[in-house]
Amino acid sequence: MLTEEQKNFYDDQGYVLVRGMFSAEEAAALRAEMHAIAARGDTGDTSSDATWDSVRGEGTTIAHCHDVHFRSAMVTRLLTDPRLTGVAQDIIGPNVQLHHNKMFIKPPEKGSPFPMHQDFPYFPHRDHSMIAVILHFDDAPEEKGCLCVYPGSHKLGPLPSEGTDHHVSTERYPIEGATALPAKAGDALFFHYLTIHGSGVNRSNEPRTTLLIQLRDPEDVPLNNRHASRGQGMMLAGIDPAAKPFTFAWEEQSA
Ligand SMILES: O=C(O)CCC(=O)C(=O)O
């Protein structure tokens, strides 16, 4: 749960870093689980390197996989952990729905950066209820390419985006002008999908291991049908007041 002060901070700044949501032991176990997924090459239908187009060719890579709860029961349990969903409820409201989740491992010395961007262009929603939470499974100091944000930028609304990876203007919003948010293993960073964010290269000699979960109010309305994912629509807290009768995918295809 957020304190009143944390809630006000989130409303004003568009992010809140919750320290020690998970213990060092829990973070270590989750870190091992992520690295085991990567070692198995269990990245499903997503490409194993998530380096963005606008920074490709600079010798960096980043291991990733989507729908991590379809690969690991530990992650399925994590998605409904009340420590996580409680904070999400404080931000979104009583009903919290899964949009998607993805693991990132930024390898040592050459872990890819994420250009500064808003998440809005990837999955725009009518009411802007969408948030992200990044769970840190090892320490993410600045030299590891921790997340950086432009505080308060969620109040600017959707901004023009550039390139195939939809980053914001690099002249207007350089990463050097953003606030770095170094985190420790077990910390959880929540931010609004309009908050401008990104991260630098991992120049350290250790990987940076995270799980990013995107959550929304089930009554919010997606403005396009891009970015579908397995398990999208699962309720992680509360109920879905807008739930429609269930149909299997093959029934929809044959209808
Ligand atoms: O993990 C990071 O450093 C940022 C990831 C991100 O912003 C994204 O996937 O949209």
Side-chain angles (χ1 to χ4, degrees), residues 52 62 102 104 106 112-115 117 119 122 134 145-147 191 197-200 208 210 212 214:
W52 281 21
I62 180 163
K102 52 198 175 184
F104 285 124
K106 274 194 191 188
S112 295
F114 283 94
H117 63 283
D119 287 332
Y122 292 94
I134 295 183
C146 68
L147 204 84
F191 58 96
H197 63 282
S199 60
R208 193 209 75 173
T210 54
L212 188 156
Q214 215 93 40

Side-chain angles (χ1 to χ4, degrees), residues 30-181:
L30 285 156
R31 181 184 192 280
E33 189 80 348
M34 300 299 114
H35 283 261
I37 290 171
R40 291 201 296 273
D42 186 11
T43 51
D45 51 4
T46 48
S47 125
S48 56
D49 179 19
T51 303
W52 281 21
D53 288 349
S54 59
V55 287
R56 195 161 289 177
E58 295 173 12
T60 64
T61 60
I62 180 163
H64 92 313
C65 110
H66 276 242
D67 308 331
V68 195
H69 58 310
F70 277 83
R71 309 201 145 68
S72 159
M74 197 186 282
V75 175
T76 305
R77 287 192 291 277
L78 182 63
L79 290 180
T80 54
D81 189 304
R83 291 169 290 183
L84 176 68
T85 56
V87 174
Q89 285 178 303
D90 283 344
I91 297 172
I92 295 176
N95 304 321
V96 176
Q97 192 178 51
L98 177 68
H99 188 260
H100 70 278
N101 66 85
K102 52 198 175 184
M103 156 193 110
F104 285 124
I105 302 177
K106 274 194 191 188
E109 283 147 29
K110 54 175 180 57
S112 295
F114 283 94
M116 300 305 290
H117 63 283
Q118 296 178 311
D119 287 332
F120 169 84
Y122 292 94
F123 28 83
H125 277 61
R126 184 193 63 194
D127 305 332
H128 303 320
S129 71
M130 186 81 74
I131 66 166
V133 51
I134 295 183
L135 304 181
H136 295 84
F137 300 142
D138 38 35
D139 292 351
E142 233 177 302
E143 64 269 23
K144 261 199 196 180
C146 68
L147 204 84
C148 300
V149 298
Y150 271 87
S153 51
H154 63 307
K155 294 180 186 160
L156 299 173
L159 296 168
S161 61
E162 300 177 3
T164 51
D165 50 25
H166 305 299
H167 57 274
V168 291
S169 159
T170 44
E171 281 90 55
R172 180 84 184 79
Y173 300 105
I175 190 165
E176 294 75 20
T179 301
L181 300 173

